[in-house]
Amino acid sequence: MSDIGYFTWDLATEHGDAPCLRDDHLDLTYRQFADRVDAFAAQLSEQGVGKGDVVAVMLPNRVELLVVLMAAWRLGAAATPVNPTFTAVEAEYQIADAGAVLVVNEGPDAPTAGRPSIAVDEMAASQPSGPTPGLRPAGSDVALLIYTSGSTGRPKGVMLTHDNLQFMSSSLAEHLSLTTDDHCLLVLPLFHVNAICVSFLAPTLAGGQLSVTGRFSPARFFDDVARLRPTYFSAVPTIYALLASQPEEIVTDTSSLRFAVCGAAPISKELLDRAEQRFGLVIVEGYGLTEGTCASACNPPAGVRKLGSVGPALPGQTIAIMDDSGALLPPGAVGEVVVRGANVMHGYLGRPEETDRTIVDGWLHTGDVGRLDEDGYLTLVDRIKDMIIRGGENIYPKEIENALATHDGVLEAAVVGAPHDVYGEVPVAYVVTYPDSPVTEDQLTEHLRDRLTKVKLPVAIHIVDALPRNPVGKIDKPGLRSRHRPQPAATRG
């Protein structure tokens, strides 16, 4: 692989006083960002952080989160971003599983899993006297541990190297034709690799800039676009649905936007068309996995876009369709989507068997079903896995089922996704209780509140006498899902 090009200490030499990063509290040039990174790297070094260590960062979107990532890399360490809305149980599992030696968070009440911590307000902002601690990480060094829930319900740490991140960010910069004139408005959470690659590394690699916005709302979004004049942003279908549903009398100035990216969940052709017409905007739909360092396919902003498809493979990647025997299928055939390229993860942390099941002969098995057309454009057909995508957030039913099972009154539980107009899908639970158990739906919901992030809470919990099963005795989840599909109108004979 070529040398890593996104390190801030190198970019500062090239871009110096050009604008780099801002949020509601800070506005930094490339040089100022590099100085902040060096200052915090020195602080981390004083705490004993060094090459091969892992630093956990549990912060909402703000400039300091990116300072932590880059400062960890300055020392040859890796970073694991933790969802700031996690419960203590969820956060401490990730911090411990990642083997983090230190946590950067919002203060004394935040979970640390017993590790030392630095509060965000205590982060050093100026460099102490003496040499800058630092080394140049190798491309093969692990840079990020991004956690993704597995079908077992236990989140797994996806190991992404600097080579992975360099390949992905440079590929995105090329595909999206990013230059020093580009300015990304960040609206997605930075504990996802999408935001780190599409909104942070790709534009800074091109010498552009990033504005970190606060908690998303349509009013805040339109104000930020008019005030900051970004050239692009990346979002999920739920955000486009919220933007497109704003009253027509709301006058918005989106003229600075060159394009927008949509990913993380399928978007309907109707919504895509409505959002494009409303804002006079090119929206390119993409597709990828955390295990593939964010993105593998994307429609081009300039070029042939095929609505309903997620576009062709990004530069340097190969997408194919495979049958159950491992044979590659011709265009038009339906099968499992597999991906190959320098974007494929190093593996799952501490889970070599799962890594070997997911990456076979260099092919990343996505668990998604799709087909390629003659031009290499990918259309997703279905998902092999039971994963629920709620507003762009991946939710695995097994994790919710495991949490329900910790209640003494629960005998069995099954969770499926139900269609939702705004979020795409929402989780719904079916529970069988022990005989004569007095447990209620409200009690089960309350039981889950301390165990699951709000987004994972089922919108409904149905207590039933028995769960439907297929002929081999497995719970019939397709049957449960079908209960939530709109039923066709009856025809008269």
Side-chain angles (χ1 to χ4, degrees):
M1 291 292 295
S2 59
D3 197 22
I4 309 305
Y6 52 71
F7 292 140
T8 182
W9 48 95
D10 295 331
L11 293 171
T13 302
E14 186 176 354
H15 301 294
D17 295 328
C20 181
L21 279 175
R22 72 184 55 76
D23 61 16
D24 290 341
H25 309 288
L26 285 172
D27 195 332
L28 304 177
T29 64
Y30 276 85
R31 169 52 58 198
Q32 290 167 332
F33 180 39
D35 289 345
R36 287 255 180 171
V37 167
D38 284 350
F40 189 58
Q43 188 177 2
L44 288 177
S45 182
E46 289 168 3
Q47 294 282 329
V49 176
K51 182 173 174 58
D53 288 333
V54 176
V55 175
V57 53
M58 187 174 180
L59 293 173
N61 281 11
R62 54 190 295 174
V63 164
E64 287 89 349
L65 194 159
L66 299 173
V67 170
V68 174
L69 298 189
M70 201 64 72
W73 298 342
R74 188 77 160 123
L75 301 173
T80 187
V82 183
N83 183 340
T85 69
F86 267 179
T87 65
V89 172
E90 292 169 310
E92 293 191 350
Y93 168 80
Q94 179 175 334
I95 293 165
D97 188 76
V101 299
L102 182 142
V103 184
V104 181
N105 56 32
E106 291 191 279
D109 296 328
T112 64
R115 271 63 171 176
S117 62
I118 298 174
V120 64
D121 293 337
E122 297 169 354
M123 289 175 61
S126 57
Q127 173 87 18
S129 58
T132 298
L135 52 80
R136 189 162 198 88
S140 58
D141 289 347
V142 175
L144 289 174
L145 282 171
I146 303 290
Y147 273 71
T148 180
S149 293
S151 56
T152 62
R154 299 296 279 178
K156 302 187 292 283
V158 175
M159 296 185 286
L160 300 177
T161 66
H162 285 291
D163 277 343
N164 288 147
L165 297 182
Q166 172 65 24
F167 175 82
M168 179 55 58
S169 53
S170 60
S171 175
L172 287 166
E174 176 187 343
H175 186 73
L176 302 174
S177 303
L178 301 182
T179 70
T180 54
D181 293 330
D182 277 299
H183 175 183
C184 181
L185 182 68
L186 176 72
V187 296
L188 296 180
L190 282 165
F191 56 84
H192 283 319
V193 75
N194 181 305
I196 294 172
C197 286
V198 178
S199 301
F200 172 49
L201 294 180
T204 53
L205 193 65
Q209 54 183 302
L210 168 64
S211 290
V212 180
T213 188
R215 185 176 177 84
F216 177 81
S217 72
R220 166 81 197 242
F221 173 83
F222 291 132
D223 179 65
D224 283 342
V225 170
R227 178 173 54 89
L228 297 169
R229 309 290 294 165
T231 60
Y232 79 99
F233 68 96
S234 178
V236 296
T238 298
I239 286 177
Y240 290 106
L242 291 170
L243 294 176
S245 64
Q246 295 303 297
E248 288 294 334
E249 58 266 23
I250 294 180
V251 179
T252 58
D253 179 7
T254 56
S255 59
S256 67
L257 291 168
R258 186 163 67 86
F259 66 93
V261 180
C262 182
I267 186 170
S268 69
K269 294 180 184 178
E270 293 78 14
L271 175 55
L272 204 59
D273 185 60
R274 189 160 75 242
E276 286 196 338
Q277 294 299 320
R278 173 77 190 270
F279 305 114
L281 184 62
V282 171
I283 301 173
V284 294
E285 188 177 3
Y287 163 76
L289 286 74
T290 302
E291 290 88 342
T293 320
C294 173
S296 289
C298 187
N299 276 287
V304 177
R305 286 186 300 137
K306 298 187 180 183
L307 295 189
S309 87
V310 291
L314 285 169
Q317 294 187 53
T318 302
I319 294 176
I321 304 299
M322 190 176 282
D323 67 14
D324 292 341
S325 69
L328 297 183
L329 300 173
V334 172
E336 184 181 12
V337 180
V338 291
V339 176
R340 188 163 60 187
N343 59 303
V344 174
M345 67 173 177
H346 184 62
Y348 294 119
L349 177 67
R351 292 170 170 81
E353 296 86 1
E354 289 194 55
T355 300
D356 290 343
R357 283 196 297 270
T358 305
I359 305 171
V360 182
D361 296 330
W363 289 104
L364 173 65
H365 286 252
T366 67
D368 292 313
V369 179
R371 65 174 177 270
L372 291 168
D373 69 11
E374 295 286 350
D375 300 320
Y377 281 63
L378 174 65
T379 298
L380 297 174
V381 176
D382 203 345
R383 288 195 302 276
I384 296 171
K385 302 168 185 174
D386 289 329
M387 184 175 69
I388 300 163
I389 302 180
R390 176 177 179 162
E393 288 286 341
N394 293 350
I395 300 170
Y396 281 85
K398 192 69 176 174
E399 186 176 3
I400 305 173
E401 292 161 2
N402 287 349
L404 281 165
T406 63
H407 192 286
D408 291 340
V410 172
L411 173 63
E412 240 183 346
V415 175
V416 296
H420 189 277
D421 288 344
V422 174
Y423 294 113
E425 289 179 295
V426 291
V428 175
Y430 290 84
V431 172
V432 178
T433 62
Y434 280 96
D436 303 319
S437 172
V439 67
T440 66
E441 295 166 16
D442 288 345
Q443 287 170 336
L444 290 176
T445 298
E446 202 57 40
H447 179 75
L448 293 178
R449 288 192 195 281
D450 293 333
R451 291 166 174 80
L452 297 171
T453 309
K454 186 178 179 182
V455 72
K456 298 176 187 174
L457 293 176
V459 299
I461 298 177
H462 303 288
I463 295 178
V464 295
D465 292 332
L467 295 173
R469 297 186 183 275
N470 64 21
V472 295
K474 291 185 177 181
I475 294 171
D476 179 18
K477 286 197 170 181
L480 287 175
R481 279 193 287 268
S482 70
R483 299 183 185 187
H484 299 278
R485 293 196 195 106
Q487 296 302 309
T491 56
R492 295 183 182 272

